[in-house]
Amino acid sequence: MRNVTLNYADGVSRSFEVAPGELILDAAIAAEIPVLYQCQSGSCSSCTATLASGDAQTRAGASSTLLASEVAAGTRLLCVCEANSDCSFDVGYTSEAGAGVAHEVHAFIDSIENIASNAVRLTVELAEGEWMAFRPGQFMQIEVPGLGVLRSYSPSSVGTDLPKMTFLIRILPDGAMSNFLSTAAGPDQVLKLTGPYGSFFLREEKKRAPHIFVAGGTGLAPILSMIDTLRQMGGRKPPMLLSFGCATPDALFCLDDIELRKQWLPTLEARICVDRDPLEGMHHGNPVSALRAGDVTPDTVAYLCGPQVMIDAATRRLIELGADPANIYSEQFTPSN
């Protein structure tokens, strides 16, 4: 047996035994160790951890979303990783955050609002007696009625809005959820939600540090949840920069919501970006190009949500400006049909 230790961001460490050839995540779940996960197949990054000591490698033949450079730097996906010796891992969340367990709830559709040329705001209300606790930034899986397929969305709402939850959803040509919302969905229709999932969420232990949020398209949803959570926290509010963009002005949404938050939060600055045909006051370019010298301090915390190409570019740019890579958190939004 191998002894594996998880070191959490709050200083807590938990150890458990892993048999030779056993997947580390499977052993952690069996030992009731706090750990975040979702797909259990290497196709998401919820169970990402950094190898701190020992030898642990991806199981031969297993698929993984990790780049070779990430593996070389010690990043592992626990769901497809085996321990070849006693080893320890650092995870980027607290032991309390890892203790959350995903579960299934039912919710009624409250409203579907067109908010842009290719986006809607879906508001649901949990069925009586059901509850869904989540951290701002995490996502839910919603089953498309009649098809049985799942789509993942992060709430733009916060915990205090429960039992109501809101989601910003991009409408895609012939998309499963898009077709349902456009042609079949109506008030009081029942949806099945499972969650919460994901290791992308607001790090409350860093709430006093300067914050940068970079959002592309409906990647704005979890960012709004984070900003609202920071607003509700007591004490001094940190400096916050939101860089949000879409391809064209007609694809933008929630601009009134952003303006309202700027009124509530004098420490919040917003830069609205479009790739083409900018209107007055808009930045001509993507949300990454709007980042400039002076935005970043050594203790800045950054949250990035949008297409992978945007996340990669934003990460590089923030590091160039002086951000600590350990303080950059991201979630890729991938359109699915």
Side-chain angles (χ1 to χ4, degrees):
M1 302 293 284
R2 318 296 193 194
N3 185 270
V4 174
T5 301
L6 297 187
N7 304 312
Y8 299 92
D10 54 359
V12 173
S13 295
R14 296 286 299 275
S15 298
F16 54 101
E17 289 190 333
V18 182
E22 183 179 16
L23 294 171
I24 293 174
L25 179 63
D26 291 346
I29 294 171
E32 299 184 351
I33 300 296
V35 61
L36 293 174
Y37 65 93
Q38 184 217 342
C39 71
Q40 296 182 258
S41 63
S43 59
C44 78
S45 58
S46 295
C47 66
T48 298
T50 301
L51 184 64
S53 66
D55 181 16
Q57 301 297 331
T58 299
R59 172 180 285 178
S63 62
S64 171
T65 57
L66 296 179
L67 301 174
S69 58
E70 293 175 313
V71 174
T75 304
R76 300 288 187 271
L77 297 180
L78 299 181
C79 67
V80 291
C81 188
E82 299 175 351
N84 297 327
S85 69
D86 291 349
C87 54
S88 65
F89 295 87
D90 297 332
V91 294
Y93 49 87
T94 64
S95 54
E96 179 186 356
V101 177
H103 64 284
E104 181 183 295
V105 298
H106 295 86
F108 297 96
I109 294 177
D110 186 75
S111 63
I112 302 169
E113 176 189 359
N114 291 314
I115 56 175
S117 60
N118 62 346
V120 300
R121 178 188 285 115
L122 170 67
T123 302
V124 302
E125 183 167 350
L126 299 182
E128 186 175 355
E130 302 203 38
W131 201 254
M132 174 66 76
F134 64 93
R135 293 175 181 270
Q138 289 187 303
F139 66 91
M140 313 293 164
Q141 288 189 329
I142 304 179
E143 182 176 308
V144 182
L147 297 181
V149 298
L150 302 175
R151 293 293 180 262
S152 299
Y153 304 104
S154 296
S156 59
S157 53
V158 295
T160 53
D161 295 324
L162 291 167
K164 289 194 176 184
M165 301 174 70
T166 59
F167 301 89
L168 307 179
I169 298 177
R170 182 182 173 189
I171 299 300
L172 300 168
D174 203 31
M177 182 64 79
S178 300
N179 288 343
F180 167 71
L181 292 175
S182 300
T183 63
D188 297 329
Q189 190 159 2
V190 178
L191 297 177
K192 185 187 299 182
L193 284 67
T194 307
Y197 295 111
S199 56
F200 179 70
F201 52 80
L202 187 71
R203 266 52 180 186
E204 295 185 11
E205 67 272 17
K206 300 180 180 180
K207 63 183 179 182
R208 302 301 180 207
H211 283 60
I212 290 180
F213 303 100
V214 182
T218 51
L220 180 65
I223 300 302
L224 287 178
S225 182
M226 292 179 178
I227 291 173
D228 284 348
T229 299
L230 287 169
R231 178 174 63 88
Q232 292 177 356
M233 291 179 177
R236 176 181 57 86
K237 308 305 179 190
M240 289 176 269
L241 168 62
L242 167 62
S243 188
F244 163 59
C246 293
T248 56
D250 69 302
L252 291 168
F253 48 87
C254 292
L255 299 188
D256 290 342
D257 298 305
I258 293 171
E259 283 299 315
L260 184 59
R261 280 151 183 80
K262 288 171 59 180
Q263 295 178 27
W264 291 338
L265 291 163
T267 61
L268 172 64
E269 176 188 355
R271 297 173 190 164
I272 307 303
C273 312
V274 291
D275 293 328
R276 302 186 300 275
D277 306 321
L279 303 179
E280 183 179 355
M282 294 181 180
H283 172 79
H284 189 186
N286 60 50
V288 178
S289 67
L291 300 175
R292 50 184 181 255
D295 290 338
V296 177
T297 64
D299 60 339
T300 292
V301 180
Y303 297 91
L304 322 174
C305 193
Q308 188 63 53
V309 64
M310 185 210 79
I311 290 174
D312 293 342
T315 300
R316 290 192 299 269
R317 180 60 175 156
L318 288 166
I319 293 173
E320 289 173 359
L321 295 174
D324 183 347
N327 287 336
I328 300 175
Y329 305 96
S330 63
E331 178 85 302
Q332 176 185 356
F333 264 38
T334 303
S336 300
N337 281 351

